[in-house]
Amino acid sequence: MVRQNGSAPPSGCLRFRLPAVPTSAAEARRLTRQQLAEWRTPSDANDSAQLVISELVTNALRHTDSDSVGCEVRLLGSLLRVAVASGGSGPRSVPKNASEDDEGGRGLLLVCSLAQVWGVRPQDAGAGHVVWADLPLSDSDG
């Protein structure tokens, strides 16, 4: 089940750990949606964050042998950082375009299109990596 380290609205950070099971992406979306509603973030940012966390959790489950994934959603001024930690070294290349017939392969492209910036870094403690994306909290195209 979910082991939640809790949300801390004063610092604007939600952290939780999920097991490496197929339903974890949906649970990550639910927990993210719930917290962002509590923080009253704009609906576009909420939708984007749910999509990004879902893609990052799914990639971690598909491409690592981790038995769990750590998730974090954090307010950073005008940005919202979404991060997922798992075992392994993380993505090694720039996302490629999937062909029309490919059933997958579009997750990181979606993350790239929604994020102002994203990246991969080693975990702070132990083996593994963190894939993170910074999303705008408001539309800055105006």
Side-chain angles (χ1 to χ4, degrees), residues 83-95:
V84 174
S86 61
S89 60
R92 291 185 187 132
S93 62
V94 174

Side-chain angles (χ1 to χ4, degrees), residues 40-125:
R40 297 182 179 172
T41 60
S43 62
D44 285 351
N46 193 321
D47 292 344
S48 294
Q50 287 178 65
L51 181 56
V52 167
I53 202 157
S54 181
E55 290 298 333
L56 296 182
V57 167
T58 298
N59 283 349
L61 297 177
R62 283 188 181 160
H63 302 294
T64 73
D65 60 357
S66 297
D67 56 1
S68 66
V69 292
C71 301
E72 180 177 283
V73 179
R74 178 184 296 268
L75 293 172
L76 298 172
S78 64
L79 297 173
L80 182 66
R81 174 159 293 171
V82 176
V84 174
S86 61
S89 60
R92 291 185 187 132
S93 62
V94 174
K96 298 182 228 174
N97 288 325
S99 73
E100 288 181 25
D101 296 330
D102 289 343
E103 291 184 17
R106 294 173 184 82
L108 284 179
L109 287 172
L110 240 96
V111 171
C112 287
S113 71
L114 294 170
Q116 283 190 352
V117 64
W118 73 277
V120 180
R121 65 173 175 77
Q123 282 197 54
D124 293 333

